[in-house]
Amino acid sequence: MATSSISGFSITLFITVPFFCLFFACSQEQPRQNISPDKNYPRWLKNDSYRTEQTSGITFLRRSKDGSEEFLLADDVGNIHRFFIKDDTVFNFMKIDFSIDVVNYLKDFPKPDFEEIVYDKYTGDVYITIEGNKENHIDFHGVYKLEFEGDDVFQNSVTKIEKINFTPEKTFYKNLNKNTGYEGLAVDKNYFYIGLEAVLTPEKSFSGSTNILVANKKSLDIVKEISTESLGITTVCGLYCDENFSLWGIDRNQKKVFKLKLDEYFNIVELNFFEIRTVIPDFHQYEYAGSLESITFSPGKKLYIVDDPWKEQFNLPVEILRKLDKNTVENFRNVVPMIYKYSLE
């Protein structure tokens, strides 16, 4: 996650870009959607004996017969967790082990900077994006395939990691910088959607726009490069496909969820925005400087978002801290990540 300014918002509402039909071929009547926050969320990504750290990726795996939901979480300190939610509020975790081959593969990385994690329901494969750091960052940026023990995502050991080589390489690597890489990744039946955190200016500041690459899953050819310059999307820090040619994402710096509907040529035919209030668990009247980084859906149109705390901004004014309970204050001081839940209406 690159350092950047993150602004706050005070209301939750649905927005359609005012100049939408100036840019896109669309019908006069678009189905109006909204997302509503779950009253029990956000929640801290921890329980009495376990916590995550700098969680930047989430992907849904399955719902069990008892109604519990299972996910994978990725931390940008090089950890992957199995994560369970039962009865909406009971959290359980299990750390995923890495084989010696995987440990050796990652040992030369300046930082195993895991960002997005994605389960491909069509193939059973799991992919993760890693951001490059330091001077030779370009050697480490990329999308990686994870192989679990027995080729079974429900086993608790990753036995192999392999970099995916997209072509043309010039297109894939041209906008990558130190600690600024691909933080969004989604898959539908036939394509990868790879979201760059931000395009930087020559002075290495955020330009206010970014790119989403579309690549064929079989050939790994990049078939489209979507610029967000005219879309009002400034950053991409999480992507999810709910169906073919339908893409949800996180614009972290504007605290917005966006939805793109594409045609078969990857032209945008629909664009919706949803603003997110980053509020304190159990104290929803107070906001903090959020850093929303990943998005996934579970059955029943339930949307989950994780907040990867930006340590330099994850603090509160003294007058607010005095109004919180001890546990909440300690969670802020210990930089515990959060998870949000919404219902799609």
Side-chain angles (χ1 to χ4, degrees), residues 100-115:
I100 190 64
D101 289 341
V102 175
V103 171
N104 287 335
Y105 187 95
L106 295 171
K107 68 181 176 60
D108 293 328
F109 282 60
K111 175 188 176 184
D113 193 350
F114 297 170
E115 292 294 342

Side-chain angles (χ1 to χ4, degrees), residues 85-116:
I85 303 177
K86 187 175 182 180
D87 299 327
D88 196 42
T89 60
V90 179
F91 289 0
N92 284 296
F93 303 85
M94 183 180 297
K95 187 174 180 180
I96 303 295
D97 295 324
F98 294 162
S99 70
I100 190 64
D101 289 341
V102 175
V103 171
N104 287 335
Y105 187 95
L106 295 171
K107 68 181 176 60
D108 293 328
F109 282 60
K111 175 188 176 184
D113 193 350
F114 297 170
E115 292 294 342
E116 185 77 289

Side-chain angles (χ1 to χ4, degrees), residues 90 250 266:
V90 179
I250 299 273
F266 308 104

Side-chain angles (χ1 to χ4, degrees), residues 13-18 32-33 256 271-275:
L13 72 161
F14 168 91
I15 297 177
T16 301
V17 177
R32 189 174 181 86
Q33 291 182 308
K256 292 180 181 180
L271 169 60
N272 295 332
F273 282 121
F274 310 86
E275 293 191 5

